[in-house]
Amino acid sequence: GQQLNQSPQSMFIQEGEDVSMNCTSSSIFNTWLWYKQDPGEGPVLLIALYKAGELTSNGRLTAQFGITRKDSFLNISASIPSDVGIYFCAGQLRGAQKLVFGQGTRLTINP
Amino acid sequence: DGGITQSPKYLFRKEGQNVTLSCEQNLNHDAMYWYRQDPGQGLRLIYYSQIVNDFQKGDIAEGYSVSREKKESFPLTVTSAQKNPTAFYLCASSTRGRTYDNEQFFGPGTRLTVL
């Protein structure tokens, strides 16, 4: 099936650093979603994007819907220990009902 | 509290046995979904249902079956035909409104181990 290319696969950073991750596809998406998953738990929705170029914030998190509709970015500012986890992007292809998920970015923070 | 519940959290079964995973939601969502997650991979869609008494195969439906007799419930059966059933299974639900029907909300997951 359709896949999203999410990068980086993993990140090892110091507490307080900013984080950036992205998802790209060769196809056009109508919706982009960003989720965070803690170990052994279900993903939690962080940010939803519905318009090309849209920039949305949720606390220290900011996400953007790429202008080409083929990519999206998530930034975390001033990382803290509770930001540790796996971040997933998900998108809805134009004309489709289902979501397509990226493979995740595993974030590890050194105190 | 509104939410999605999955039970049990951990499930062990012998090879060759069918097993049913429970998923219940009280969010009044029309659509429900089952995903499978393997280590280091994203979520892969098994089955989804947009309305009661109707469901569609996802990308990896072979070896699985579902039913949707009630709006609140969407149980998944992992049959003995599923070659690699050991995985983390996630249930999700969403509305069917025009704008926000792609915001899927997930349950806590069930980790199935087949011995």
Side-chain angles (χ1 to χ4, degrees), chain B:
Chain B
D1 284 335
I4 304 173
T5 57
Q6 292 185 243
S7 60
K9 182 70 173 172
Y10 299 95
L11 191 55
F12 297 87
R13 278 294 182 270
K14 291 184 179 179
E15 193 172 343
Q17 290 181 335
N18 291 355
V19 60
T20 298
L21 281 59
S22 167
C23 178
E24 304 277 335
Q25 55 96 1
N26 61 2
L27 300 167
N28 199 33
H29 285 171
D30 289 299
M32 297 186 74
Y33 311 80
W34 274 106
Y35 292 89
R36 170 183 172 135
Q37 187 175 30
D38 294 286
Q41 296 195 32
L43 280 64
R44 293 185 290 168
L45 183 65
I46 304 172
Y47 269 98
Y48 65 104
S49 168
Q50 298 284 318
I51 198 167
V52 173
N53 292 322
D54 188 43
F55 48 82
Q56 288 79 39
K57 292 182 179 180
D59 300 318
I60 56 166
E62 185 175 350
Y64 300 98
S65 65
V66 294
S67 63
R68 186 87 186 277
E69 297 176 1
K70 298 187 299 182
K71 185 176 183 178
E72 303 79 18
S73 179
F74 191 39
L76 173 74
T77 297
V78 184
T79 75
S80 57
Q82 168 50 235
K83 291 183 171 38
N84 296 300
T86 294
F88 191 47
Y89 290 89
L90 287 159
C91 178
S93 69
S94 67
T95 65
R96 291 183 67 207
R98 289 187 61 184
T99 303
Y100 303 112
D101 60 354
N102 295 306
E103 293 184 13
Q104 293 183 19
F105 297 90
F106 286 84
T110 292
R111 184 167 298 281
L112 173 64
T113 302
V114 175
L115 307 171

Side-chain angles (χ1 to χ4, degrees), chain A residues 58-75:
Chain A
N58 178 5
R60 294 177 296 104
L61 278 62
T62 301
Q64 185 163 24
F65 194 139
I67 197 70
T68 65
R69 307 185 75 94
K70 295 181 179 181
D71 56 9
S72 180
F73 305 86
L74 176 69
N75 296 318

Side-chain angles (χ1 to χ4, degrees), chain A residues 3 7 19 24 33-34 43 51 57 60 63 70 75 81-82 98 101 105 108-110:
Chain A
Q3 286 200 346
S7 66
V19 171
T24 61
L33 305 172
W34 285 92
K51 291 182 181 179
S57 293
R60 294 177 296 104
K70 295 181 179 181
N75 296 318
S82 61
K98 302 174 291 184
F101 282 82
T105 295
T108 302
I109 298 176
N110 299 316

Side-chain angles (χ1 to χ4, degrees), chain A residues 2-106:
Chain A
Q2 178 68 234
Q3 286 200 346
L4 292 176
N5 299 313
Q6 185 171 350
S7 66
Q9 288 188 329
S10 59
M11 303 183 73
F12 299 85
I13 64 170
Q14 299 293 323
E15 184 177 350
E17 288 185 14
D18 296 343
V19 171
S20 291
M21 61 190 77
N22 70 83
C23 277
T24 61
S25 173
S26 57
S27 301
I28 292 174
F29 283 75
N30 279 352
T31 302
W32 285 97
L33 305 172
W34 285 92
Y35 289 87
K36 176 177 183 272
Q37 185 178 30
D38 291 327
E41 300 295 330
V44 174
L45 182 63
L46 299 173
I47 294 178
L49 302 161
Y50 292 96
K51 291 182 181 179
E54 180 181 355
L55 186 70
T56 298
S57 293
N58 178 5
R60 294 177 296 104
L61 278 62
T62 301
Q64 185 163 24
F65 194 139
I67 197 70
T68 65
R69 307 185 75 94
K70 295 181 179 181
D71 56 9
S72 180
F73 305 86
L74 176 69
N75 296 318
I76 305 173
S77 62
S79 58
I80 60 177
S82 61
D83 291 335
V84 165
I86 302 176
Y87 291 80
F88 289 100
C89 61
Q92 181 208 17
L93 288 164
R94 178 184 287 176
Q97 289 180 306
K98 302 174 291 184
L99 288 179
V100 177
F101 282 82
Q103 294 191 328
T105 295
R106 183 181 295 273

